[in-house]
Amino acid sequence: MFMHQSSRIQLPHQSTMDSVKTTHRDLIHDIAYDYYGKMLATCSGDQTIKIFKSIDNEWIEIQEIRQSESTSGHTHKSAIRHICWAHPLFGSIFATVSVDKTINIFELCLTGID
């Protein structure tokens, strides 16, 4: 049962809550944990995707994908509304959906990151 107290929601059996500073310049529309809960992806109205990794109980930004600067041809022309990780059987793959009616699929390359 959820308890509401002064605009704060307390979840049963939860002792701490994480906070992630994303530096997005617009609203964050969606977040998604990877299958193992070790990485977190965010997407925003500023047309950026940010990937964070849990390192020593802290969320560290390991990659930012700016749609306006992408050279891969995978660009959204509007706010990115949803993000979702694929099952790890397929690798570090995630998909994004934008207001511009496009879906982009990305493969995260984690070179040099423990």
Side-chain angles (χ1 to χ4, degrees):
M1 174 185 221
F2 295 108
M3 300 178 344
H4 188 273
Q5 296 176 346
S6 66
S7 301
R8 238 169 99 179
I9 297 176
Q10 293 181 338
L11 302 174
H13 308 295
Q14 185 159 353
S15 59
T16 60
M17 306 262 314
D18 284 338
S19 178
V20 180
K21 298 201 186 275
T22 66
T23 68
H24 279 293
R25 296 181 320 273
D26 202 344
L27 295 174
I28 297 170
H29 292 289
D30 200 11
I31 67 166
Y33 287 98
D34 74 334
Y35 181 82
Y36 302 106
K38 299 292 184 186
M39 289 193 289
L40 175 70
T42 62
C43 64
S44 171
D46 63 9
Q47 298 180 9
T48 62
I49 301 160
K50 296 192 180 207
I51 308 295
F52 300 85
K53 186 169 182 162
S54 178
I55 301 172
D56 296 328
N57 294 322
E58 189 175 342
W59 290 103
I60 306 297
E61 182 178 324
I62 59 170
Q63 187 166 10
E64 177 179 344
I65 302 167
R66 291 190 166 281
Q67 297 300 294
S68 59
E69 299 171 1
S70 177
T71 58
S72 67
H74 289 65
T75 59
H76 289 299
K77 307 282 188 270
S78 191
I80 304 169
R81 294 301 303 266
H82 297 287
I83 192 163
C84 181
W85 291 92
H87 189 280
L89 176 69
F90 303 103
S92 293
I93 294 175
F94 61 92
T96 57
V97 178
S98 174
V99 173
D100 65 10
K101 303 177 187 171
T102 60
I103 299 169
N104 288 338
I105 299 171
F106 298 88
E107 182 172 8
L108 189 62
C109 298
L110 297 173
T111 56
I113 299 173
D114 294 333

